Amino acid sequence: MTTTVIALTLIVGVLTFAAGAFLASEVATRILRRREKAISEERKRLNAAWKFLKEVYGVKTRR
């Protein structure tokens, strides 16, 4: 009886841990995707501003 209770407790604990780890990875993935999207949008704005400066003011690059 005691062995059964211990085994069931361990199984429930492992399943709970696995579910928590899965949820944590899902949350982390969503956060990273949101940050990547924000960085992408910022990069688009910066590229547009740089293109405007190059066209209007004739800014040259050293390449």
Side-chain angles (χ1 to χ4, degrees), residues 14-44:
V14 167
L15 291 176
T16 303
F17 177 79
F22 174 76
L23 288 175
S25 70
E26 286 294 315
V27 169
T29 302
R30 286 184 184 182
I31 290 170
L32 287 175
R33 284 187 184 147
R34 192 177 306 143
R35 286 183 183 170
E36 286 175 355
K37 185 177 180 183
I39 289 169
S40 175
E41 293 297 322
E42 183 68 19
R43 184 175 287 134
K44 286 178 188 175

